[in-house]
Amino acid sequence: MQSNDHKHPDAVLDPAQLKRIESVHKGFLYQHLYAVGCLFLAQSSGVNEVLVERDEDVELSTDSGRIYVQVKTRSHPLMPGDTAGALGRFELIRQEHGPGRRAGKPQFVIVANQPLGETLQTEVDEYKTASDLIYLHPESKASRPGCLPPAWATVEEAAQWCVAQAEKLNFSLLSPSALTWKMAGLVMLEYSHWFRH
């Protein structure tokens, strides 16, 4: 749709809609870069397989079990409503790791670009969260498994961190930046393949 503003023909008609679109796409890009970060850390941290968009956003298979990662990007501190759906799925996954079903122990991680709101932070401080659940965010003091990247505040931080990890790899065909973005594209392709089915 074109703007009727002849002085600024490319002006956005609905700035609130533009903000919604940017929020959604930045959230997906953050998630894709988080998966790329997991791939960069996989070999050195004993991860056997990195899966994208299965039961959770990212899943890491190790000899001892599986780490299920739900990635959240928000413009406000994380509230209970932001995590309720993930926590419900985590409970179903726990049951699948029972006898004769999925092998190994599950661990659950919620990664967010924002700190926890007061209610969730109180639950963490008072040890009222499940023992197999970790919240990672930029201000988090939780012990982060070595196979997981940190939680970044912005997409820009995510990209910088991934490029820095790519610089450590012996991969001479592509620059660290090109490798990072090509891998992000492959993660996005995997997501879109899953989403179509």
Side-chain angles (χ1 to χ4, degrees), residues 11-25 75:
V12 174
L13 294 176
D14 184 355
Q17 173 66 0
L18 178 61
K19 188 167 182 66
R20 286 190 291 273
I21 291 168
E22 287 176 340
S23 293
V24 167
H25 291 285
S75 58

Side-chain angles (χ1 to χ4, degrees), residues 28-60:
F28 284 129
L29 183 54
Y30 184 103
Q31 178 180 316
H32 298 154
L33 287 170
Y34 200 83
V36 169
C38 291
L39 286 165
F40 284 151
L41 294 176
Q43 185 175 10
S44 64
S45 60
V47 170
N48 300 323
E49 187 176 30
V50 177
L51 301 167
V52 178
E53 292 297 338
R54 306 280 293 187
D55 288 317
E56 284 305 329
D57 295 330
V58 181
E59 297 177 26
L60 308 175

